[in-house]
Amino acid sequence: MSNVLLSFRHVWFGYRRDRPPVLKDVTFDLKAGRILAIVGPNGAGKTTLLSLALGWQRAWRGEIELAGRPLEKYSRAERGRWLALTPQSEHTPFDYTVLEYVLMGRAPHLPPLGMPTAADYAIALRAVEQVGLAALAERPVPQLSGGEQQRMLLARAIAQQPKLLLLDEPTAHLDLHNKAQLIRIMRDLRSQGCTLLMTNHEPEVVLAVANDVLLMEAGQPPQFGPLESVFTEAALSRIHRLPIRLVQVDGRLQVLWT
């Protein structure tokens, strides 16, 4: 039995038929229990690919499968139980507390007009604890720092209990402390069997967590493979148009650029 959770097969997509496609011939298999990083410069189509994986956009051509089944065959409610998204940021119009906000992640598991149960509250609270926000569970969301809000968004996705977690630039705009915490949480999720698909333009984060890489360049078919074979000096220098070196520091690869 295949353990491929998400599969793209020769997927093409654009927002207008009279303009060049944003994605060209995208092909990859994301296996369960791994972290795939989508890497590339701004405008390469990284966030667009997440939209396709979530079923928010339909490919011009090609096939997208979730657990061996065409994505379009899933209902919206089914997708909500399989997939969760942590966006870069999100506007909060009301003064929800952190726990109330995270509890929204339980919505795909509730019947129409159903109210959260004690079990749903327990799952949400565990997610809040998992991202290190237990002490802030009753704090209004507008009073959180940027790093705390990013962890709250991740907690909501964890509370959704997805089989595949999608993260859009999860470490963007974070200080080093919060970035280190997010990296630790992603590693913990992988060790617990969760599969992650993230966009990221920070090479040090990719090196810290990713098993596989989808390397994207604007207007070009992307390159997919294990981190060590795709995330190379030559490829990074090409897509970023800078001389880039990968060096070992205390047994870990680090990125240098000039």
Side-chain angles (χ1 to χ4, degrees):
M1 181 176 178
S2 173
N3 65 342
V4 173
L5 190 57
L6 180 68
S7 176
F8 274 54
R9 284 284 175 270
H10 304 294
V11 170
W12 294 65
F13 175 80
Y15 291 98
R16 289 181 53 172
R17 292 281 183 174
D18 60 345
R19 293 186 178 178
V22 178
L23 300 177
K24 296 177 66 174
D25 201 19
V26 179
T27 296
F28 67 87
D29 286 331
L30 173 54
K31 294 183 178 180
R34 294 177 71 85
I35 298 178
L36 169 58
I38 307 170
V39 178
N42 293 336
K46 300 187 298 294
T47 300
T48 297
L49 192 150
L50 291 187
S51 295
L52 286 168
L54 288 159
W56 294 353
Q57 303 283 354
R58 294 288 295 272
W60 282 1
R61 66 176 184 262
E63 299 175 352
I64 303 174
E65 292 187 345
L66 181 63
R69 179 183 171 195
L71 185 62
E72 65 269 18
K73 300 295 185 182
Y74 288 79
S75 68
R76 182 175 179 179
E78 286 178 311
R79 291 201 308 269
R81 292 189 289 272
W82 275 86
L83 306 164
L85 172 70
T86 300
Q88 292 188 40
S89 61
E90 193 167 81
H91 174 62
T92 310
F94 305 109
D95 284 351
Y96 293 109
T97 67
V98 170
L99 182 57
E100 289 170 338
Y101 203 80
V102 172
L103 189 60
M104 294 180 191
R106 298 303 300 157
H109 300 275
L110 301 178
L113 304 179
M115 297 296 293
T117 66
D120 293 312
Y121 274 92
I123 291 169
L125 185 56
R126 283 198 300 271
V128 170
E129 293 169 346
Q130 188 168 355
V131 301
L133 294 178
L136 305 180
E138 299 303 323
R139 180 169 294 184
V141 173
Q143 295 180 18
L144 300 179
S145 69
E148 291 164 347
Q149 288 195 27
Q150 190 65 22
R151 281 187 281 151
M152 179 196 68
L153 292 173
L154 179 54
R156 184 185 61 182
I158 292 171
Q160 200 170 324
Q161 295 183 316
K163 295 176 177 62
L164 174 57
L165 176 57
L166 296 89
L167 306 101
D168 193 7
E169 302 288 355
T171 56
H173 315 303
L174 297 185
D175 59 32
L176 284 176
H177 176 75
N178 280 294
K179 188 177 297 185
Q181 286 191 304
L182 259 293
I183 288 172
R184 175 188 58 78
I185 293 167
M186 286 190 283
R187 287 172 170 168
D188 288 345
L189 288 169
R190 176 177 56 191
S191 69
Q192 295 161 14
C194 189
T195 307
L196 285 74
L197 174 63
M198 72 167 180
T199 66
N200 206 288
H201 64 265
E202 299 180 85
E204 68 275 13
V205 176
V206 176
L207 287 169
V209 300
N211 303 112
D212 304 303
V213 170
L214 187 72
L215 199 65
M216 302 186 69
E217 299 179 65
Q220 298 295 322
Q223 182 181 359
F224 169 73
L227 174 76
E228 58 272 14
S229 64
V230 175
F231 207 67
T232 64
E233 291 180 347
L236 292 173
S237 298
R238 185 179 69 251
I239 68 169
H240 293 297
R241 301 178 184 177
L242 285 170
I244 291 178
R245 293 176 56 210
L246 296 176
V247 298
Q248 288 277 352
V249 179
D250 294 332
R252 294 177 57 185
L253 278 177
Q254 303 291 324
V255 176
L256 297 179
W257 60 273
T258 59

